[in-house]
Amino acid sequence: MVSSPSVLVVGAGPAGLVSALLLAKNAITVRIIDKDESFHVGSRGFGVQPRTFELFEVLGINDELQKLATPIPTMRAYKLPGGTIPVKTWDLYEKGDVWPDRPYANGACLGQDLLEGVLRNHLAKYGVAVEVGKGLTALRQNDNSVIASITTFVDGNATAEVETATFEYLIGSDGARGSTRKLLNLTFEGETRDADGMVWGDVQIKGLTSDYWHIWGKPGEFTIMARPLSPEGDKFGIGITGLNFDPTELGDPAKAVEFIRNETGRADLEFGEWTWLSYFKPNMRMVNKFQEGRTFVVGDSAHVHSPTGGQGMNCSVQDAFNLVWKLAWVLKQGKPSLLATYHEERLPVITQMLHATTKLYTHTVVQEKPSEPTQAQNASESGWFKWRNSALEMYGINYRFSSIVLDERSIRPKDTEDMLAHAYSGYEGRGSLCAGDRAPDAPRLTTSNSETTLYKLLKPDAHTILVFGGAGISQLSAVGSTNFQAFVVRSPGEDTSSNGFEELVDGDGWAHRAYMAKPDDRLFVVIRPDTYIGALFTEGKGLTRYLAKLGL
Ligand SMILES: Cc1cc2nc3c(=O)[nH]c(=O)nc-3n(C[C@H](O)[C@H](O)[C@H](O)COP(=O)(O)OP(=O)(O)OC[C@H]3O[C@@H](n4cnc5c(N)ncnc54)[C@H](O)[C@@H]3O)c2cc1C
Ligand SMILES: *[C@@H]1O[C@H](CO)[C@@H](O)[C@H](O)[C@H]1NC(C)=O
Ligand SMILES: *[C@@H]1O[C@H](CO)[C@@H](O)[C@H](O)[C@H]1NC(C)=O
Ligand SMILES: *[C@@H]1O[C@H](CO)[C@@H](O)[C@H](O)[C@H]1NC(C)=O
Ligand SMILES: *[C@@H]1O[C@H](CO)[C@@H](O)[C@H](O)[C@H]1NC(C)=O
Ligand SMILES: *[C@@H]1O[C@H](CO)[C@@H](O)[C@H](O)[C@H]1NC(C)=O
């Protein structure tokens, strides 16, 4: 008898695909369905945050993605009318500020369609294929299982063919318009900018250089953007946005071309086929609960954002990382109460992120006043394009307030309200590192046979324990489980016994600095599979206390 998979993932966008791949890597059986009968086309959310690349590293797909990713193009705004004389050229992010603990400091562009293709290929290695044309249409839950109705869709319509299947858990990653959230009766509070609409699409354009991300704008009315999809080539991602501007008719390709030609003054541009064109209204909304019984919502089905500062896909990937290790842990060995910490940890982060992107939206799209004549020159200061906000880079996101982190180094402030208030923006510049923070990367670590970085060693199906100050690691031997890997980190000259655990030589001392480990002081750092610090303690018995928090 073939037993049914443990988890059903509903929706095969980035959130669902990352969830399914993480489950597969944790040896949890999974099925993933999507209502659409074909895979998505279109670059859609194309920007990838440096922090997201770190998670892709742990997922084992970063090398492949880096080959497909392209740098964020330099932006160039033109004078109107005419549309050909540049008035300003600038970079969205200052380039080159790569820090040792942040190796992917520059974001990059990667079409969502390409990302999804890579994720599907990796899933296939685990024998998991996305079942297309299958939508969730009903669900029931009891204490032991979720019973899902999976309906076959043809041409976007539900047919009478319905399969009823039972799972231990269900992950709803079916996007903003998905059915999981609705079937659970979760609220989706927030706002829709009714007066505003936006158009995004991918099209071939002849006569435009691919050296720049081109911008034409009319103050207080609209902005037209054309971003080259690759450094060479003639395909561009188009975006048309504005204040009190609702270009419904531009969802029609002929109208979109006419509008762009009219408003940029570039009648010379030749447009080829649109491979994707979509109209939508900015929404900023989130659920009241991320979990209901044995069902969870991740990604856009849990929260939608203004595209300004684009956190959508990036946040979806983080939701999946936060949830899946806990699910795998519970399915293998733990008490289900651990699962409640998905909601506990993500709610404050998402609430504050929505607040930040909504403010950014109000600031950038809405405040371009018609009376300001020099929008192009000032676009980098006031426009869409001022995204240089370290919070948006997501390094600060932390779970210091969480009930399952353990910090025995006692530099963590104890004020929970204060910690909750910093869930998203973090503690940048305060020189502290506490349990709940992002695990900093560390370059130039030497193993017995090669040089590597910390993130290349992290695994999505195991906690990683770093032991600074050597002796004492034998206290950890109780762990002996596949859910942990431990390394003794030592300075080049340091002489310590590592009791059979693998050693990492911290060549330039980056790991010691990043983890604030002083020479000779013993420090244990437990890094969770989602790359956050689960525990900091100074004696091996701390591990037992950490495991107790996880319900073991
Ligand atoms: C048309 C469009 C344009 C966008 N453009 C941009 C952009 O320009 N910039 C930007 O930053 N972000 C953009 N976004 C947002 C970005 O794509 C999302 O943040 C990201 O896709 C979220 O990933 P997700 O996996 O949560 O949801 P999605 O990618 O929306 O995936 C959800 C999947 O669930 C499937 N599904 C829905 N209902 C069911 C059901 N009942 N059963 C089974 N499957 C179901 C859908 O077919 C879909 O494949 C856009 C989104 C859309 C839809
Ligand atoms: C991810 O973050 C980058 C960098 O801020 C942004 O450009 C991009 O639009 C985001 N992606 C999504 C899908 O939100
Ligand atoms: C699907 O529904 C649409 C309208 O809702 C209809 O026009 C179309 O013919 C339907 N397709 C099929 C295959 O039934
Ligand atoms: C959601 O609400 C509907 C209508 O009120 C109800 O029939 C259904 O049982 C509710 N579902 C859940 C999961 O509470
Ligand atoms: C383009 O300009 C022409 C001439 O002014 C006008 O008739 C037409 O409606 C415009 N098209 C669009 C889509 O704005
Ligand atoms: C930019 O805007 C400021 C007002 O905010 C204005 O004083 C300045 O002249 C503008 N810059 C240019 C280059 O026009």
Side-chain angles (χ1 to χ4, degrees):
M1 194 188 92
V2 182
S3 61
S4 95
S6 299
V7 181
L8 176 67
V9 175
V10 179
L17 290 166
V18 169
S19 299
L21 184 55
L22 283 169
L23 286 163
K25 285 184 176 273
N26 275 277
I28 302 295
T29 52
V30 57
R31 227 177 122 178
I32 175 168
I33 59 171
D34 200 292
K35 188 158 96 74
D36 277 359
E37 290 137 272
S38 53
F39 298 131
H40 300 149
V41 294
S43 54
R44 300 220 276 167
F46 49 80
V48 182
Q49 295 280 4
R51 178 69 178 127
T52 307
F53 278 121
E54 292 185 337
L55 299 178
F56 290 151
E57 180 72 75
V58 175
L59 208 49
I61 60 173
N62 192 48
D63 289 348
E64 208 167 319
L65 293 178
Q66 291 295 343
K67 285 183 203 136
L68 297 170
T70 54
I72 301 172
T74 297
M75 309 193 97
R76 176 165 269 189
Y78 299 91
K79 190 176 162 132
L80 290 178
T84 52
I85 300 169
V87 286
K88 174 143 185 137
T89 304
W90 75 101
D91 283 318
L92 192 52
Y93 295 98
E94 281 163 32
K95 293 206 167 98
D97 51 349
V98 178
W99 299 5
D101 72 325
R102 298 177 178 190
Y104 312 101
N106 295 317
C109 292
L110 176 72
Q112 198 170 312
D113 45 356
L114 297 176
L115 168 67
E116 291 179 8
V118 169
L119 289 165
R120 282 194 302 268
N121 291 343
H122 279 259
L123 260 181
K125 294 182 191 166
Y126 295 87
V128 180
V130 175
E131 298 172 45
V132 292
K134 302 276 181 191
L136 178 77
T137 47
L139 80 90
R140 274 183 296 128
Q141 315 194 56
N142 56 41
D143 288 347
N144 306 311
S145 55
V146 186
I147 301 117
S149 299
I150 301 173
T151 300
T152 301
F153 279 73
V154 174
D155 293 343
N157 303 328
T159 67
E161 194 182 311
V162 184
E163 174 200 350
T164 304
T166 303
F167 303 89
E168 289 185 75
Y169 292 100
L170 185 148
I171 298 179
S173 48
D174 43 352
R177 293 195 202 97
S179 52
T180 308
R181 186 187 64 240
K182 293 172 192 155
L183 292 169
L184 295 173
N185 295 336
L186 302 182
T187 62
F188 206 41
E189 302 273 327
E191 58 174 318
T192 300
R193 297 283 168 149
D194 280 319
D196 302 346
M198 314 183 157
V199 170
W200 299 90
D202 295 344
V203 66
Q204 183 192 39
I205 307 179
K206 288 233 153 63
L208 200 58
T209 168
S210 61
D211 293 343
Y212 299 100
W213 183 339
H214 309 273
I215 318 284
W216 297 268
K218 256 195 186 161
E221 292 182 37
F222 56 79
T223 305
I224 301 171
M225 298 171 266
R227 179 183 62 88
L229 292 184
S230 61
E232 286 115 38
D234 55 8
K235 289 203 73 182
F236 290 82
I238 300 291
I240 307 174
T241 68
L243 161 70
N244 292 327
F245 172 80
D246 192 9
T248 31
E249 77 283 2
L250 302 189
D252 169 2
K255 287 272 190 255
V257 168
E258 200 179 291
F259 180 84
I260 296 168
R261 285 216 180 106
N262 277 4
E263 301 298 344
T264 61
R266 294 292 303 266
D268 59 308
L269 299 180
E270 278 181 49
F271 288 77
E273 201 197 332
W274 292 78
T275 45
W276 170 62
L277 181 60
S278 129
Y279 161 86
F280 71 92
K281 281 188 183 292
N283 264 294
M284 301 87 171
R285 293 178 183 277
M286 70 183 286
V287 285
N288 50 334
K289 287 193 273 185
F290 286 68
Q291 173 188 15
E292 184 68 71
R294 298 182 152 256
T295 304
F296 304 87
V297 284
V298 300
D300 278 18
S301 82
H303 43 81
V304 289
H305 324 260
S306 145
T308 330
Q311 304 278 291
M313 182 191 66
N314 305 292
C315 275
S316 305
V317 173
Q318 294 216 9
D319 286 347
F321 266 79
N322 187 289
L323 173 62
V324 171
W325 75 265
K326 296 170 183 172
L327 210 46
W329 180 276
V330 168
L331 281 164
K332 284 177 187 158
Q333 60 197 338
K335 297 202 193 90
S337 55
L338 177 64
L339 297 172
T341 65
Y342 169 58
H343 171 87
E344 181 197 330
E345 293 187 339
R346 293 303 286 165
L347 187 81
V349 172
I350 299 292
T351 308
Q352 288 167 31
M353 186 272 302
L354 270 179
H355 190 68
T357 56
T358 305
K359 264 206 315 222
L360 200 60
Y361 179 84
T362 314
H363 202 74
T364 57
V365 178
V366 179
Q367 282 188 353
E368 291 169 23
K369 295 197 190 69
S371 55
E372 283 173 23
T374 54
Q375 84 292 345
Q377 288 92 328
N378 272 341
S380 67
E381 289 136 45
S382 70
W384 258 88
F385 312 108
K386 194 180 176 195
W387 289 346
R388 267 213 59 81
N389 171 336
S390 65
L392 295 183
E393 291 181 352
M394 299 183 145
Y395 285 112
I397 291 173
N398 70 88
Y399 309 123
R400 284 191 190 186
F401 55 86
S402 167
S403 62
I404 54 164
V405 304
L406 176 83
D407 197 313
E408 297 185 343
R409 194 158 63 164
S410 30
I411 54 176
R412 183 171 71 145
K414 295 280 182 289
D415 180 350
T416 307
E417 287 304 311
D418 182 68
M419 289 194 281
L420 280 168
H422 285 92
Y424 180 68
S425 60
Y427 299 84
E428 193 88 58
R430 307 221 186 155
S432 63
L433 183 81
C434 298
D437 287 351
R438 158 190 171 267
D441 201 358
R444 292 214 52 213
L445 294 174
T446 317
T447 66
S448 48
N449 47 33
S450 62
E451 187 177 293
T452 185
T453 68
L454 179 59
Y455 268 67
K456 289 197 199 310
L457 295 169
L458 300 181
K459 293 181 173 171
D461 58 347
H463 278 75
T464 299
I465 305 179
L466 304 179
V467 187
F468 294 89
I473 188 154
S474 59
Q475 297 166 4
L476 280 177
S477 55
V479 173
S481 142
T482 53
N483 288 314
F484 284 86
Q485 57 171 350
F487 299 96
V488 169
V489 185
R490 62 172 184 85
S491 305
E494 192 182 325
D495 179 25
T496 52
S497 139
S498 52
N499 274 352
F501 287 90
E502 186 158 5
E503 277 189 22
L504 296 174
V505 179
D506 188 16
D508 293 337
W510 289 116
H512 281 79
R513 273 194 287 279
Y515 288 87
M516 303 173 70
K518 294 193 202 77
D520 305 327
D521 278 0
R522 187 174 312 147
L523 176 68
F524 295 85
V525 180
V526 181
I527 302 172
R528 314 195 312 195
D530 62 357
T531 77
Y532 284 85
I533 300 174
L536 288 173
F537 46 87
T538 52
E539 52 168 25
K541 276 181 270 173
L543 187 61
T544 313
R545 290 190 284 272
Y546 174 64
L547 293 177
K549 282 180 176 277
L550 302 188
L552 208 69

PDB file of all heavy atoms in Angstrom, residues 3 188 252 256 328:
ATOM      1  N   SER A   3       1.313   4.804   1.138  1.00  0.00           N
ATOM      2  CA  SER A   3       0.671   5.683   2.107  1.00  0.00           C
ATOM      3  C   SER A   3       0.664   7.096   1.553  1.00  0.00           C
ATOM      4  O   SER A   3       1.515   7.473   0.755  1.00  0.00           O
ATOM      5  CB  SER A   3       1.405   5.631   3.441  1.00  0.00           C
ATOM      6  OG  SER A   3       2.721   6.059   3.259  1.00  0.00           O
ATOM      7  N   PHE A 188      -8.526  39.238   6.150  1.00  0.00           N
ATOM      8  CA  PHE A 188      -7.434  39.748   5.302  1.00  0.00           C
ATOM      9  C   PHE A 188      -7.556  41.259   5.321  1.00  0.00           C
ATOM     10  O   PHE A 188      -7.962  41.889   4.358  1.00  0.00           O
ATOM     11  CB  PHE A 188      -7.601  39.176   3.888  1.00  0.00           C
ATOM     12  CG  PHE A 188      -6.323  39.060   3.092  1.00  0.00           C
ATOM     13  CD1 PHE A 188      -5.135  38.625   3.679  1.00  0.00           C
ATOM     14  CD2 PHE A 188      -6.315  39.357   1.728  1.00  0.00           C
ATOM     15  CE1 PHE A 188      -3.963  38.500   2.927  1.00  0.00           C
ATOM     16  CE2 PHE A 188      -5.154  39.228   0.969  1.00  0.00           C
ATOM     17  CZ  PHE A 188      -3.983  38.797   1.570  1.00  0.00           C
ATOM     18  N   ASP A 252      -4.459  45.842 -22.368  1.00  0.00           N
ATOM     19  CA  ASP A 252      -4.490  45.454 -23.789  1.00  0.00           C
ATOM     20  C   ASP A 252      -3.153  45.853 -24.425  1.00  0.00           C
ATOM     21  O   ASP A 252      -2.774  47.026 -24.404  1.00  0.00           O
ATOM     22  CB  ASP A 252      -5.680  46.192 -24.437  1.00  0.00           C
ATOM     23  CG  ASP A 252      -5.682  46.104 -25.955  1.00  0.00           C
ATOM     24  OD1 ASP A 252      -4.791  45.435 -26.531  1.00  0.00           O
ATOM     25  OD2 ASP A 252      -6.577  46.712 -26.566  1.00  0.00           O
ATOM     26  N   ALA A 256      -1.238  49.509 -24.625  1.00  0.00           N
ATOM     27  CA  ALA A 256      -0.028  49.746 -23.844  1.00  0.00           C
ATOM     28  C   ALA A 256       1.070  50.318 -24.736  1.00  0.00           C
ATOM     29  O   ALA A 256       1.747  51.289 -24.368  1.00  0.00           O
ATOM     30  CB  ALA A 256       0.439  48.445 -23.177  1.00  0.00           C
ATOM     31  N   ALA A 328       8.770  19.701  10.017  1.00  0.00           N
ATOM     32  CA  ALA A 328       9.570  18.478   9.890  1.00  0.00           C
ATOM     33  C   ALA A 328       9.926  17.942  11.280  1.00  0.00           C
ATOM     34  O   ALA A 328       9.862  16.746  11.549  1.00  0.00           O
ATOM     35  CB  ALA A 328      10.835  18.764   9.083  1.00  0.00           C
TER      36      ALA A 328
END
